[in-house]
């Protein structure tokens, strides 16, 4: 069973950057698209970014486009979320997840993701 472990969250001031990492426990991770989602207190979980299985295509939500970048290193079984120019409204628990579509491209629908990490807290102060 695939396990996903996020890291890299923390407390930062608005305008600064953070890089989140998501490490998978199995090599098979490399054959699936991956995504990042976030959930703020009192709000529903929302899509942030997703990447195809080979890293060839990516997609980001409008709210983070131009500020966040998703990437992956399949040799390290790791996916990243580089977050620049952070805003207080980016404060949330960030989750990585595997999209259940072998050799698939990115996707925004959380119901298509089958394995989820435990989440990492990102807090942006104003």
């Amino acid at each position: 069973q695939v396990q996903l472990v996020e890291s890299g969250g923390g407390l930062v001031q608005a305008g600064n950057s953070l890089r989140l990492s998501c490490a998978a426990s199995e090599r098979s991770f490399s054959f699936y698209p991956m995504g990042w989602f976030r959930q703020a207190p009192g709000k529903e979980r929302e899509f942030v970014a997703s990447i195809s299985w080979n890293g060839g295509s990516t997609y980001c939500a409008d709210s983070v486009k131009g500020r966040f970048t998703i990437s992956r290193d399949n040799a390290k079984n790791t996916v990243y979320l580089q977050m620049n120019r952070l805003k207080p409204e980016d404060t949330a628990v960030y989750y990585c997840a595997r999209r259940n579509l072998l050799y698939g491209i990115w996707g925004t629908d959380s119901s298509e993701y089958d394995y989820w990490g435990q989440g990492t807290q990102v807090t942006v102060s104003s």
Side-chain angles (χ1 to χ4, degrees):
Q1 180 172 340
V2 173
Q3 290 187 329
L4 303 173
V5 179
E6 303 97 335
S7 61
L11 172 64
V12 295
Q13 288 189 326
N16 285 350
S17 300
L18 277 177
R19 188 176 81 156
L20 305 184
S21 299
C22 172
S25 60
E26 294 185 2
R27 184 69 179 89
S28 62
F29 146 93
S30 301
F31 308 133
Y32 291 85
M34 296 292 294
W36 287 95
F37 294 80
R38 68 185 181 186
Q39 187 166 20
K43 296 188 176 181
E44 293 187 354
R45 182 172 56 194
E46 66 172 353
F47 168 79
V48 176
S50 181
I51 187 166
S52 62
W53 75 277
N54 62 354
S57 66
T58 64
Y59 184 80
C60 290
D62 287 344
S63 58
V64 305
K65 200 166 291 184
R67 299 188 298 121
F68 291 12
T69 302
I70 187 171
S71 62
R72 67 190 299 163
D73 184 341
N74 284 347
K76 296 182 179 180
N77 295 345
T78 301
V79 64
Y80 305 97
L81 185 68
Q82 178 66 44
M83 307 185 294
N84 298 329
R85 303 198 307 277
L86 282 160
K87 304 176 180 180
E89 51 263 43
D90 294 319
T91 295
V93 177
Y94 283 72
Y95 300 90
C96 70
R98 188 189 82 165
R99 188 179 187 219
N100 188 16
L101 185 64
L102 189 62
Y103 301 121
I105 64 170
W106 52 264
T108 64
D109 186 350
S110 63
S111 68
E112 296 176 351
Y113 289 77
D114 55 357
Y115 290 103
W116 294 77
Q118 83 289 348
T120 186
Q121 176 71 47
V122 172
T123 302
V124 185
S125 63
S126 57

